[in-house]
Amino acid sequence: MNDALQQLQPYPFEKLRALLGSVKPNPDKRPIALSIGEPKHTSPAFVAQAMTANLDQMAVYPTTAGIPAVREAIASWCERRFGVPSGWLDPAQHVLPVNGTREALFAFTQTVVNRSDNGLVVSPNPFYQIYEGAALLAGAHPHYLPCLEEHGFNPDFDAVSDEIWNRCQILFLCSPGNPTGALIPIETLQKLIALADKHDFVIAADECYSELYFDESTPPAGLLSACVASGRNDFKRCVVFHSLSKRSNLPGLRSGFVAGDAQILKAFLLYRTYHGCAMPIQTQLASIAAWNNEEHVRANRTLYREKFNAVLEILSPVMDVKHPDGGFYLWPNVGGDDAAFCRDLFVTEHVTVVPGSYLSREVDGFNPGAGRVRLALVAPLAECVEAAERIRHFVQSR
């Protein structure tokens, strides 16, 4: 057996099940889950229609690189969304379709990490746990950068030593952040690109929440935006990860893409041909329909905007909670034992949320997620409002 498997920690939801498994919720209240970040809005019907119209493609082996049309649709979307000049992103060299970002983040790490160099995979803390697991199974050491309120819930990159940057092989970014919702400013992204050049590491930007923002006139910048602002038309050392799961409410489609540095993607494609993860052609054709349509994405943002406004109106008077910059999570400070808060809320109100300490790692005796909880506002508006009212009642009665 691969002995690196022994280093893997239980997923947050395994810890949550263990926490709640020995207690009983209030039987008079129906369950409401704000724990799992699974979109619950209706999937766009035209995507399903594109899928069913092409079911004959199940008889065809898909290629790992994907059909040209899907890569072209993705490149065009990147041009529209991030202001990439026409021709900079070559669909044949700079884009690869993937079966969702989770699979891609893991496989990408196996491709990039050089096991012989005692390298680091640097990530925010709290973080999406696949960053850590992928690093360990690739033979690297995870290194965590705390995301604290005093730094806008982004890592303090200026505090990272040259020794850490020199050992860094991959820097994972997540913007908007999971669970904080924080955006990384374009100026910071440009500084990180300069650091990647100086210290020779790869920036892997997980941007799966990039289309969940609140000001329609100001879409958040991404790593591709920073490349454009820096005149980096080869996207050297920069790779972005995007998905239709959150953007288009299609978590079951398992469709996303990676884009960026052509040399890295060439190696990644080689890895993937052995990894065996080609996207079915009917899925690719359905994905083209989704990437080419923004109307359903704007409607999606409207639904989230309504939920955040309603829930924050209920919770702000009784909790230390702020409107995030993006994403669909709230990250309130509950002022104490976050696991006990989640357990007691489940018992008394039958509402499930995630302890912040389960989403973070303790480093030098400090866990940056401790004392906070994550609320995923993925349920319908009425259900989110009811959950918020129950949480308010719980907080006021403590």
Side-chain angles (χ1 to χ4, degrees):
M1 298 294 282
N2 184 343
D3 59 5
L5 290 168
Q6 304 304 314
Q7 302 177 62
L8 299 180
Q9 295 204 32
Y11 233 63
F13 303 109
E14 294 179 53
K15 296 181 181 180
L16 184 62
R17 280 192 291 270
L19 175 70
L20 305 181
S22 60
V23 297
K24 299 294 183 184
N26 186 335
D28 296 327
K29 298 187 176 181
R30 67 184 183 94
I32 300 179
L34 303 183
S35 48
I36 299 178
E38 180 182 55
K40 298 296 184 184
H41 298 166
T42 303
S43 300
F46 67 87
V47 176
Q49 291 166 2
M51 175 78 82
T52 56
N54 291 284
L55 290 181
D56 60 318
Q57 296 299 314
M58 287 193 295
V60 180
Y61 274 125
T63 63
T64 307
I67 60 175
V70 74
R71 297 197 305 272
E72 290 163 3
I74 290 166
S76 295
W77 180 79
C78 291
E79 291 176 358
R80 296 191 302 272
R81 172 62 178 83
F82 296 106
V84 179
S86 177
W88 279 29
L89 273 177
D90 180 353
Q93 297 186 74
H94 296 118
V95 175
L96 277 178
V98 296
N99 296 313
T101 52
R102 179 174 180 171
E103 172 267 314
L105 290 163
F106 179 86
F108 182 82
T109 307
Q110 314 313 304
T111 302
V112 172
V113 165
N114 187 331
R115 293 172 179 266
S116 66
D117 287 346
N118 192 31
L120 298 177
V121 170
V122 179
S123 83
N125 188 24
F127 59 95
Y128 183 36
Q129 194 159 324
I130 203 69
Y131 309 155
E132 176 187 73
L136 292 169
L137 290 170
H141 304 278
H143 182 82
Y144 310 103
L145 304 180
C147 298
L148 306 177
E149 187 170 11
E150 53 260 41
H151 298 294
F153 294 113
N154 280 317
D156 181 6
F157 295 108
D158 292 335
V160 179
S161 69
D162 281 350
E163 187 228 342
I164 296 300
W165 287 132
N166 285 334
R167 290 180 59 197
C168 177
Q169 296 193 11
I170 300 175
L171 168 64
F172 276 118
L173 304 177
C174 187
S175 178
N178 172 9
T180 66
L183 295 174
I184 302 177
I186 190 170
E187 297 80 10
T188 301
L189 294 171
Q190 289 179 274
K191 289 180 180 179
L192 292 172
I193 292 172
L195 283 168
D197 288 343
K198 179 180 178 181
H199 298 280
D200 191 22
F201 60 81
V202 175
I203 303 174
D206 179 358
E207 299 179 357
C208 69
Y209 296 94
S210 72
E211 303 315 287
L212 303 184
Y213 54 89
F214 302 99
D215 183 353
E216 289 294 327
S217 66
T218 312
L223 188 60
L224 294 180
S225 311
C227 287
V228 172
S230 302
R232 179 166 296 236
N233 60 2
D234 60 356
F235 308 101
K236 189 71 173 175
R237 297 187 178 87
C238 296
V239 177
V240 299
F241 297 73
H242 282 266
S243 168
L244 291 174
S245 295
K246 277 78 175 179
R247 172 190 182 270
S248 298
N249 302 307
L250 292 165
L253 192 66
R254 309 315 304 136
S255 178
F257 70 84
V258 297
D261 186 317
Q263 288 301 113
I264 296 175
L265 263 59
K266 182 178 180 181
F268 189 34
L269 175 59
L270 175 62
Y271 179 92
R272 294 177 69 75
T273 59
Y274 283 86
H275 187 47
C277 50
M279 183 186 295
I281 294 175
Q282 66 272 18
T283 302
Q284 295 182 53
L285 294 169
S287 301
I288 291 170
W291 291 118
N292 284 340
N293 181 281
E294 291 297 323
E295 182 179 357
H296 75 286
V297 188
R298 288 190 291 269
N300 193 37
R301 284 194 290 269
T302 297
L303 293 175
Y304 282 116
R305 194 178 298 119
E306 292 171 352
K307 287 190 285 189
F308 273 98
N309 290 340
V311 168
L312 285 168
E313 183 177 357
I314 295 166
L315 293 182
S316 293
V318 299
M319 296 184 79
D320 178 8
V321 59
K322 295 178 175 61
H323 201 300
D325 296 325
F328 52 45
Y329 300 114
L330 286 176
W331 186 235
N333 182 351
V334 297
D337 186 333
D338 50 298
F341 180 97
C342 294
R343 181 198 61 220
D344 296 345
L345 174 66
F346 178 75
V347 169
T348 60
E349 300 293 342
H350 212 165
V351 174
T352 309
V353 299
V354 181
S357 58
Y358 289 8
L359 303 168
S360 312
R361 291 290 175 262
E362 182 177 305
V363 178
D364 297 329
F366 174 67
N367 185 319
R372 293 184 176 272
V373 298
R374 191 186 77 175
L375 284 62
L377 301 189
V378 293
L381 174 62
E383 197 167 315
C384 286
V385 167
E386 182 179 348
E389 290 172 341
R390 292 193 207 175
I391 294 170
R392 180 179 62 187
H393 179 265
F394 171 74
V395 170
Q396 290 176 323
S397 63
R398 294 179 80 194

